[in-house]
Amino acid sequence: GKSAANSSPGLLGSGLASPPAEGSSSPPAAENEFFVASDVPAILEHTNEVIYLEDGEIADISREGVRISTFDGKSVQRSATKVTWDMSQVQKEGYPHFMIKEIMEQPQSLEQTIAGRIQCGVDSEPVTFQELEPLREKLSHPQKVNRIVILGCGTAYHAGLVGKAFIEKSVQLPVTVDMSSEFRYNSSVVTPETLVIAMSQSGETADTLAGVRHAKAHGATVIAICNVVGSSITREVDVTVYTHAGPEIAVASTKAYTAQLAVLSLLSLYLGGLRRPHLTDDSKKFLQEIECLPQLVEKVLVQSAFLQDMAIRYSKFDRFLYLGRYINYPSALEGALKLKEISYIHAEGYPAGEMKHGHIALIDDEMPVLCIVTQSSVYEKMISNLQEVDARGGRVIAIATEGDTEIGNLIQDGVYLPPVHEFVSPILVAVALQLFAYYVAVHRGLDVDQPRNLAKSVTVE
Ligand code: M6R
């Protein structure tokens, strides 16, 4: 599934006659059998032992074994890593596409993401990240970390934008979010007191990897939030916090995104706890709902037939505007990206408050406006934006909260989500917008899992 434009990270699957890792249904490969692949899922049915190649290395494979050396001939010793992913995770298991399988898996993937990170009944430091212990001292001191920069591309960048709101509220530290491709060439201030958080599902995105190197060269502390164990980015950062979402095969990122948001929400509470030991009542509510994410997401997934029906009705339109504010402005960006990349419909995500400064000129009944108007601190502001769209003859699809009676006559269609803390809402909104995009693309008869011109891991600039 890679485009020809993308080179691949090196990866060898080795058949060293060893049993599969515990909990894995991957069979052991026959003795002295080797596989070459760009990604683990491609070889998981043969082996669960992999050797990762670094840049500038060559593997010489023969029946006798594998010899790794650098381009200038120096021999490299590297042992195989056991992958704990399960074969069932890289098969469709009865679903027509990986994307819908991965959307539906989110209650389980979120369960794995939060597992072991919330200490029930513990009032001080109720969130724990064992992997961050080596950085605890540094992260606790305002003089040692005085600024955070979050990096990512595409969906990972959108997760970073949500993370900024989480962290600024909880830690009161300035956070900037940069697209990795911009960060590596702009004049962003990076010092030894900067904490850089690199977001990446694959851990192989070239721009994010280059951003990590740039940050390290300027003395920053760098954390990765990543899904793929042992990937390139995780090998270069100070510490990796894994999202544990399981393998994501579809090009369109779904469960990796919600896992990133779950990690960022917990990370914000963790960082906040290091500097201010007791949680506020608001943070306690936020944490309680993070714990309930699997059940909350189930409540969105049960609406899939309703979302399918709605998506079919809207699949004939050629352009969409997605509007949101504050914590759900990134949700508008992400929802629009999902629709664009798999249905080839032009969709733009925009902050609703900016509409008057230009986008309002686009409003007509040929461009549905999808408004994220869940209960939040900016709810009334969103209602004003809905009125503006309605007054200009626009078609509004609302993503709203169950029981909302105020929006009724302003909208054409509504999807109603469970009432939650406003910081939890981006995860529920994401799931609804993933389903909407998926069913539009399916109805258009498109290759949902491998959309044209796109690759799962963008390993070139
Ligand atoms: O593997 P990464 O998270 O670093 O990938 C970043 C983007 O390429 C990725 O999120 C892309 O935007 C997806 N196709 C979005 O669905």
PDB file of all heavy atoms in Angstrom, residues 361-391:
ATOM      1  N   ALA A 361     -18.953  34.190   2.643  1.00  0.00           N
ATOM      2  CA  ALA A 361     -19.292  34.439   1.233  1.00  0.00           C
ATOM      3  C   ALA A 361     -19.574  33.140   0.479  1.00  0.00           C
ATOM      4  O   ALA A 361     -20.221  33.151  -0.568  1.00  0.00           O
ATOM      5  CB  ALA A 361     -18.149  35.203   0.557  1.00  0.00           C
ATOM      6  N   LEU A 362     -19.082  32.039   1.006  1.00  0.00           N
ATOM      7  CA  LEU A 362     -19.257  30.751   0.313  1.00  0.00           C
ATOM      8  C   LEU A 362     -20.623  30.119   0.566  1.00  0.00           C
ATOM      9  O   LEU A 362     -21.027  29.184  -0.135  1.00  0.00           O
ATOM     10  CB  LEU A 362     -18.200  29.752   0.802  1.00  0.00           C
ATOM     11  CG  LEU A 362     -16.741  30.035   0.477  1.00  0.00           C
ATOM     12  CD1 LEU A 362     -15.848  29.073   1.251  1.00  0.00           C
ATOM     13  CD2 LEU A 362     -16.502  29.876  -1.017  1.00  0.00           C
ATOM     14  N   ILE A 363     -21.317  30.593   1.608  1.00  0.00           N
ATOM     15  CA  ILE A 363     -22.524  29.880   2.057  1.00  0.00           C
ATOM     16  C   ILE A 363     -23.633  29.918   1.003  1.00  0.00           C
ATOM     17  O   ILE A 363     -24.046  30.980   0.535  1.00  0.00           O
ATOM     18  CB  ILE A 363     -23.052  30.496   3.374  1.00  0.00           C
ATOM     19  CG1 ILE A 363     -21.943  30.547   4.413  1.00  0.00           C
ATOM     20  CG2 ILE A 363     -24.336  29.782   3.854  1.00  0.00           C
ATOM     21  CD1 ILE A 363     -21.811  29.509   5.384  1.00  0.00           C
ATOM     22  N   ASP A 364     -24.094  28.747   0.632  1.00  0.00           N
ATOM     23  CA  ASP A 364     -25.288  28.608  -0.208  1.00  0.00           C
ATOM     24  C   ASP A 364     -25.841  27.208   0.048  1.00  0.00           C
ATOM     25  O   ASP A 364     -25.275  26.470   0.861  1.00  0.00           O
ATOM     26  CB  ASP A 364     -24.963  28.845  -1.696  1.00  0.00           C
ATOM     27  CG  ASP A 364     -23.962  27.846  -2.251  1.00  0.00           C
ATOM     28  OD1 ASP A 364     -23.787  26.762  -1.649  1.00  0.00           O
ATOM     29  OD2 ASP A 364     -23.334  28.131  -3.279  1.00  0.00           O
ATOM     30  N   ASP A 365     -26.919  26.838  -0.625  1.00  0.00           N
ATOM     31  CA  ASP A 365     -27.486  25.520  -0.277  1.00  0.00           C
ATOM     32  C   ASP A 365     -26.795  24.368  -1.011  1.00  0.00           C
ATOM     33  O   ASP A 365     -27.224  23.229  -0.935  1.00  0.00           O
ATOM     34  CB  ASP A 365     -29.006  25.501  -0.465  1.00  0.00           C
ATOM     35  CG  ASP A 365     -29.396  25.584  -1.923  1.00  0.00           C
ATOM     36  OD1 ASP A 365     -28.505  25.836  -2.770  1.00  0.00           O
ATOM     37  OD2 ASP A 365     -30.597  25.395  -2.226  1.00  0.00           O
ATOM     38  N   GLU A 366     -25.714  24.682  -1.704  1.00  0.00           N
ATOM     39  CA  GLU A 366     -24.943  23.629  -2.379  1.00  0.00           C
ATOM     40  C   GLU A 366     -23.760  23.154  -1.537  1.00  0.00           C
ATOM     41  O   GLU A 366     -23.025  22.263  -1.954  1.00  0.00           O
ATOM     42  CB  GLU A 366     -24.386  24.168  -3.714  1.00  0.00           C
ATOM     43  CG  GLU A 366     -25.434  24.471  -4.761  1.00  0.00           C
ATOM     44  CD  GLU A 366     -26.153  23.197  -5.183  1.00  0.00           C
ATOM     45  OE1 GLU A 366     -25.462  22.246  -5.584  1.00  0.00           O
ATOM     46  OE2 GLU A 366     -27.401  23.160  -5.076  1.00  0.00           O
ATOM     47  N   MET A 367     -23.519  23.833  -0.419  1.00  0.00           N
ATOM     48  CA  MET A 367     -22.359  23.475   0.410  1.00  0.00           C
ATOM     49  C   MET A 367     -22.819  23.220   1.860  1.00  0.00           C
ATOM     50  O   MET A 367     -22.943  24.160   2.645  1.00  0.00           O
ATOM     51  CB  MET A 367     -21.323  24.600   0.403  1.00  0.00           C
ATOM     52  CG  MET A 367     -20.087  24.248   1.219  1.00  0.00           C
ATOM     53  SD  MET A 367     -18.940  25.637   1.409  1.00  0.00           S
ATOM     54  CE  MET A 367     -19.917  26.738   2.431  1.00  0.00           C
ATOM     55  N   PRO A 368     -23.073  21.942   2.205  1.00  0.00           N
ATOM     56  CA  PRO A 368     -23.481  21.676   3.585  1.00  0.00           C
ATOM     57  C   PRO A 368     -22.437  22.196   4.574  1.00  0.00           C
ATOM     58  O   PRO A 368     -21.233  22.109   4.329  1.00  0.00           O
ATOM     59  CB  PRO A 368     -23.567  20.153   3.645  1.00  0.00           C
ATOM     60  CG  PRO A 368     -23.742  19.726   2.224  1.00  0.00           C
ATOM     61  CD  PRO A 368     -23.011  20.722   1.385  1.00  0.00           C
ATOM     62  N   VAL A 369     -22.935  22.760   5.683  1.00  0.00           N
ATOM     63  CA  VAL A 369     -22.036  23.276   6.719  1.00  0.00           C
ATOM     64  C   VAL A 369     -22.204  22.394   7.952  1.00  0.00           C
ATOM     65  O   VAL A 369     -23.277  22.358   8.556  1.00  0.00           O
ATOM     66  CB  VAL A 369     -22.369  24.745   7.062  1.00  0.00           C
ATOM     67  CG1 VAL A 369     -21.354  25.282   8.081  1.00  0.00           C
ATOM     68  CG2 VAL A 369     -22.359  25.600   5.806  1.00  0.00           C
ATOM     69  N   LEU A 370     -21.151  21.666   8.244  1.00  0.00           N
ATOM     70  CA  LEU A 370     -21.216  20.762   9.383  1.00  0.00           C
ATOM     71  C   LEU A 370     -20.696  21.512  10.617  1.00  0.00           C
ATOM     72  O   LEU A 370     -19.540  21.915  10.652  1.00  0.00           O
ATOM     73  CB  LEU A 370     -20.374  19.525   9.076  1.00  0.00           C
ATOM     74  CG  LEU A 370     -20.648  18.345   9.987  1.00  0.00           C
ATOM     75  CD1 LEU A 370     -20.483  17.035   9.238  1.00  0.00           C
ATOM     76  CD2 LEU A 370     -19.753  18.386  11.199  1.00  0.00           C
ATOM     77  N   CYS A 371     -21.586  21.745  11.569  1.00  0.00           N
ATOM     78  CA  CYS A 371     -21.226  22.564  12.736  1.00  0.00           C
ATOM     79  C   CYS A 371     -21.113  21.702  13.983  1.00  0.00           C
ATOM     80  O   CYS A 371     -22.043  20.954  14.311  1.00  0.00           O
ATOM     81  CB  CYS A 371     -22.302  23.612  12.992  1.00  0.00           C
ATOM     82  SG  CYS A 371     -22.434  24.809  11.671  1.00  0.00           S
ATOM     83  N   ILE A 372     -19.997  21.848  14.684  1.00  0.00           N
ATOM     84  CA  ILE A 372     -19.826  21.103  15.939  1.00  0.00           C
ATOM     85  C   ILE A 372     -20.319  22.009  17.051  1.00  0.00           C
ATOM     86  O   ILE A 372     -19.692  23.016  17.392  1.00  0.00           O
ATOM     87  CB  ILE A 372     -18.359  20.689  16.130  1.00  0.00           C
ATOM     88  CG1 ILE A 372     -17.939  19.817  14.932  1.00  0.00           C
ATOM     89  CG2 ILE A 372     -18.187  19.915  17.442  1.00  0.00           C
ATOM     90  CD1 ILE A 372     -16.477  19.751  14.697  1.00  0.00           C
ATOM     91  N   VAL A 373     -21.475  21.650  17.574  1.00  0.00           N
ATOM     92  CA  VAL A 373     -22.163  22.546  18.497  1.00  0.00           C
ATOM     93  C   VAL A 373     -22.556  21.800  19.778  1.00  0.00           C
ATOM     94  O   VAL A 373     -23.653  21.933  20.295  1.00  0.00           O
ATOM     95  CB  VAL A 373     -23.334  23.241  17.749  1.00  0.00           C
ATOM     96  CG1 VAL A 373     -24.346  22.228  17.242  1.00  0.00           C
ATOM     97  CG2 VAL A 373     -23.994  24.319  18.558  1.00  0.00           C
ATOM     98  N   THR A 374     -21.597  20.996  20.251  1.00  0.00           N
ATOM     99  CA  THR A 374     -21.819  20.253  21.496  1.00  0.00           C
ATOM    100  C   THR A 374     -21.786  21.229  22.680  1.00  0.00           C
ATOM    101  O   THR A 374     -21.273  22.340  22.555  1.00  0.00           O
ATOM    102  CB  THR A 374     -20.702  19.189  21.676  1.00  0.00           C
ATOM    103  OG1 THR A 374     -19.455  19.797  21.371  1.00  0.00           O
ATOM    104  CG2 THR A 374     -20.911  18.010  20.752  1.00  0.00           C
ATOM    105  N   GLN A 375     -22.345  20.788  23.821  1.00  0.00           N
ATOM    106  CA  GLN A 375     -22.376  21.663  25.008  1.00  0.00           C
ATOM    107  C   GLN A 375     -20.949  21.999  25.430  1.00  0.00           C
ATOM    108  O   GLN A 375     -20.122  21.105  25.588  1.00  0.00           O
ATOM    109  CB  GLN A 375     -23.082  20.959  26.178  1.00  0.00           C
ATOM    110  CG  GLN A 375     -24.568  20.760  25.971  1.00  0.00           C
ATOM    111  CD  GLN A 375     -25.336  22.082  25.802  1.00  0.00           C
ATOM    112  OE1 GLN A 375     -24.924  23.105  26.318  1.00  0.00           O
ATOM    113  NE2 GLN A 375     -26.437  22.048  25.066  1.00  0.00           N
ATOM    114  N   SER A 376     -20.669  23.288  25.595  1.00  0.00           N
ATOM    115  CA  SER A 376     -19.303  23.699  25.936  1.00  0.00           C
ATOM    116  C   SER A 376     -19.315  25.157  26.341  1.00  0.00           C
ATOM    117  O   SER A 376     -20.351  25.828  26.282  1.00  0.00           O
ATOM    118  CB  SER A 376     -18.389  23.542  24.712  1.00  0.00           C
ATOM    119  OG  SER A 376     -18.727  24.534  23.751  1.00  0.00           O
ATOM    120  N   SER A 377     -18.136  25.657  26.673  1.00  0.00           N
ATOM    121  CA  SER A 377     -18.017  27.067  27.058  1.00  0.00           C
ATOM    122  C   SER A 377     -18.265  27.994  25.867  1.00  0.00           C
ATOM    123  O   SER A 377     -18.460  29.187  26.052  1.00  0.00           O
ATOM    124  CB  SER A 377     -16.621  27.316  27.648  1.00  0.00           C
ATOM    125  OG  SER A 377     -15.642  26.845  26.749  1.00  0.00           O
ATOM    126  N   VAL A 378     -18.242  27.457  24.651  1.00  0.00           N
ATOM    127  CA  VAL A 378     -18.461  28.310  23.469  1.00  0.00           C
ATOM    128  C   VAL A 378     -19.777  27.960  22.755  1.00  0.00           C
ATOM    129  O   VAL A 378     -19.987  28.340  21.600  1.00  0.00           O
ATOM    130  CB  VAL A 378     -17.267  28.221  22.475  1.00  0.00           C
ATOM    131  CG1 VAL A 378     -16.030  28.893  23.075  1.00  0.00           C
ATOM    132  CG2 VAL A 378     -16.958  26.777  22.102  1.00  0.00           C
ATOM    133  N   TYR A 379     -20.644  27.239  23.476  1.00  0.00           N
ATOM    134  CA  TYR A 379     -21.905  26.801  22.862  1.00  0.00           C
ATOM    135  C   TYR A 379     -22.707  27.978  22.312  1.00  0.00           C
ATOM    136  O   TYR A 379     -23.148  27.959  21.150  1.00  0.00           O
ATOM    137  CB  TYR A 379     -22.727  26.015  23.897  1.00  0.00           C
ATOM    138  CG  TYR A 379     -24.100  25.640  23.422  1.00  0.00           C
ATOM    139  CD1 TYR A 379     -24.297  24.569  22.555  1.00  0.00           C
ATOM    140  CD2 TYR A 379     -25.220  26.372  23.837  1.00  0.00           C
ATOM    141  CE1 TYR A 379     -25.573  24.237  22.111  1.00  0.00           C
ATOM    142  CE2 TYR A 379     -26.491  26.047  23.396  1.00  0.00           C
ATOM    143  CZ  TYR A 379     -26.664  24.970  22.530  1.00  0.00           C
ATOM    144  OH  TYR A 379     -27.916  24.658  22.085  1.00  0.00           O
ATOM    145  N   GLU A 380     -22.902  29.023  23.125  1.00  0.00           N
ATOM    146  CA  GLU A 380     -23.731  30.153  22.679  1.00  0.00           C
ATOM    147  C   GLU A 380     -23.125  30.823  21.446  1.00  0.00           C
ATOM    148  O   GLU A 380     -23.832  31.291  20.559  1.00  0.00           O
ATOM    149  CB  GLU A 380     -23.892  31.193  23.806  1.00  0.00           C
ATOM    150  CG  GLU A 380     -24.691  30.679  25.012  1.00  0.00           C
ATOM    151  CD  GLU A 380     -26.121  30.239  24.653  1.00  0.00           C
ATOM    152  OE1 GLU A 380     -26.665  30.725  23.639  1.00  0.00           O
ATOM    153  OE2 GLU A 380     -26.681  29.393  25.374  1.00  0.00           O
ATOM    154  N   LYS A 381     -21.803  30.875  21.406  1.00  0.00           N
ATOM    155  CA  LYS A 381     -21.116  31.475  20.242  1.00  0.00           C
ATOM    156  C   LYS A 381     -21.385  30.644  18.988  1.00  0.00           C
ATOM    157  O   LYS A 381     -21.576  31.175  17.900  1.00  0.00           O
ATOM    158  CB  LYS A 381     -19.608  31.562  20.490  1.00  0.00           C
ATOM    159  CG  LYS A 381     -19.237  32.401  21.676  1.00  0.00           C
ATOM    160  CD  LYS A 381     -19.438  33.870  21.373  1.00  0.00           C
ATOM    161  CE  LYS A 381     -19.450  34.705  22.617  1.00  0.00           C
ATOM    162  NZ  LYS A 381     -20.022  36.040  22.419  1.00  0.00           N
ATOM    163  N   MET A 382     -21.386  29.314  19.175  1.00  0.00           N
ATOM    164  CA  MET A 382     -21.666  28.447  18.020  1.00  0.00           C
ATOM    165  C   MET A 382     -23.108  28.636  17.539  1.00  0.00           C
ATOM    166  O   MET A 382     -23.378  28.611  16.338  1.00  0.00           O
ATOM    167  CB  MET A 382     -21.422  26.967  18.372  1.00  0.00           C
ATOM    168  CG  MET A 382     -20.000  26.497  18.314  1.00  0.00           C
ATOM    169  SD  MET A 382     -19.152  26.738  16.718  1.00  0.00           S
ATOM    170  CE  MET A 382     -20.175  25.859  15.566  1.00  0.00           C
ATOM    171  N   ILE A 383     -24.026  28.843  18.490  1.00  0.00           N
ATOM    172  CA  ILE A 383     -25.430  29.068  18.116  1.00  0.00           C
ATOM    173  C   ILE A 383     -25.520  30.312  17.231  1.00  0.00           C
ATOM    174  O   ILE A 383     -26.208  30.315  16.195  1.00  0.00           O
ATOM    175  CB  ILE A 383     -26.320  29.232  19.380  1.00  0.00           C
ATOM    176  CG1 ILE A 383     -26.409  27.910  20.147  1.00  0.00           C
ATOM    177  CG2 ILE A 383     -27.715  29.763  19.027  1.00  0.00           C
ATOM    178  CD1 ILE A 383     -27.272  26.848  19.490  1.00  0.00           C
ATOM    179  N   SER A 384     -24.773  31.360  17.578  1.00  0.00           N
ATOM    180  CA  SER A 384     -24.784  32.574  16.745  1.00  0.00           C
ATOM    181  C   SER A 384     -24.294  32.254  15.341  1.00  0.00           C
ATOM    182  O   SER A 384     -24.846  32.732  14.345  1.00  0.00           O
ATOM    183  CB  SER A 384     -23.860  33.651  17.313  1.00  0.00           C
ATOM    184  OG  SER A 384     -24.194  33.909  18.616  1.00  0.00           O
ATOM    185  N   ASN A 385     -23.257  31.428  15.249  1.00  0.00           N
ATOM    186  CA  ASN A 385     -22.732  31.062  13.923  1.00  0.00           C
ATOM    187  C   ASN A 385     -23.757  30.246  13.129  1.00  0.00           C
ATOM    188  O   ASN A 385     -23.905  30.424  11.914  1.00  0.00           O
ATOM    189  CB  ASN A 385     -21.419  30.292  14.043  1.00  0.00           C
ATOM    190  CG  ASN A 385     -20.319  31.114  14.681  1.00  0.00           C
ATOM    191  OD1 ASN A 385     -19.684  30.703  15.656  1.00  0.00           O
ATOM    192  ND2 ASN A 385     -20.091  32.316  14.157  1.00  0.00           N
ATOM    193  N   LEU A 386     -24.482  29.364  13.826  1.00  0.00           N
ATOM    194  CA  LEU A 386     -25.531  28.583  13.158  1.00  0.00           C
ATOM    195  C   LEU A 386     -26.589  29.529  12.578  1.00  0.00           C
ATOM    196  O   LEU A 386     -27.061  29.341  11.450  1.00  0.00           O
ATOM    197  CB  LEU A 386     -26.212  27.662  14.180  1.00  0.00           C
ATOM    198  CG  LEU A 386     -25.949  26.172  14.092  1.00  0.00           C
ATOM    199  CD1 LEU A 386     -24.515  25.865  14.401  1.00  0.00           C
ATOM    200  CD2 LEU A 386     -26.853  25.408  15.060  1.00  0.00           C
ATOM    201  N   GLN A 387     -26.932  30.540  13.388  1.00  0.00           N
ATOM    202  CA  GLN A 387     -27.949  31.512  12.922  1.00  0.00           C
ATOM    203  C   GLN A 387     -27.459  32.241  11.677  1.00  0.00           C
ATOM    204  O   GLN A 387     -28.216  32.471  10.737  1.00  0.00           O
ATOM    205  CB  GLN A 387     -28.283  32.504  14.046  1.00  0.00           C
ATOM    206  CG  GLN A 387     -29.126  31.856  15.132  1.00  0.00           C
ATOM    207  CD  GLN A 387     -29.143  32.642  16.437  1.00  0.00           C
ATOM    208  OE1 GLN A 387     -28.279  33.487  16.681  1.00  0.00           O
ATOM    209  NE2 GLN A 387     -30.106  32.335  17.293  1.00  0.00           N
ATOM    210  N   GLU A 388     -26.162  32.567  11.674  1.00  0.00           N
ATOM    211  CA  GLU A 388     -25.598  33.271  10.506  1.00  0.00           C
ATOM    212  C   GLU A 388     -25.677  32.397   9.247  1.00  0.00           C
ATOM    213  O   GLU A 388     -26.014  32.879   8.161  1.00  0.00           O
ATOM    214  CB  GLU A 388     -24.127  33.637  10.770  1.00  0.00           C
ATOM    215  CG  GLU A 388     -23.952  34.787  11.752  1.00  0.00           C
ATOM    216  CD  GLU A 388     -22.568  34.809  12.400  1.00  0.00           C
ATOM    217  OE1 GLU A 388     -21.704  33.990  12.020  1.00  0.00           O
ATOM    218  OE2 GLU A 388     -22.379  35.643  13.292  1.00  0.00           O
ATOM    219  N   VAL A 389     -25.385  31.119   9.416  1.00  0.00           N
ATOM    220  CA  VAL A 389     -25.436  30.206   8.258  1.00  0.00           C
ATOM    221  C   VAL A 389     -26.888  30.054   7.809  1.00  0.00           C
ATOM    222  O   VAL A 389     -27.209  30.154   6.609  1.00  0.00           O
ATOM    223  CB  VAL A 389     -24.827  28.826   8.609  1.00  0.00           C
ATOM    224  CG1 VAL A 389     -24.978  27.854   7.441  1.00  0.00           C
ATOM    225  CG2 VAL A 389     -23.363  28.961   9.006  1.00  0.00           C
ATOM    226  N   ASP A 390     -27.766  29.836   8.787  1.00  0.00           N
ATOM    227  CA  ASP A 390     -29.183  29.637   8.493  1.00  0.00           C
ATOM    228  C   ASP A 390     -29.767  30.856   7.766  1.00  0.00           C
ATOM    229  O   ASP A 390     -30.488  30.711   6.770  1.00  0.00           O
ATOM    230  CB  ASP A 390     -29.915  29.389   9.824  1.00  0.00           C
ATOM    231  CG  ASP A 390     -31.387  29.128   9.633  1.00  0.00           C
ATOM    232  OD1 ASP A 390     -31.721  28.187   8.902  1.00  0.00           O
ATOM    233  OD2 ASP A 390     -32.204  29.886  10.215  1.00  0.00           O
ATOM    234  N   ALA A 391     -29.402  32.041   8.240  1.00  0.00           N
ATOM    235  CA  ALA A 391     -29.952  33.274   7.647  1.00  0.00           C
ATOM    236  C   ALA A 391     -29.516  33.457   6.193  1.00  0.00           C
ATOM    237  O   ALA A 391     -30.138  34.207   5.445  1.00  0.00           O
ATOM    238  CB  ALA A 391     -29.500  34.477   8.471  1.00  0.00           C
TER     239      ALA A 391
END
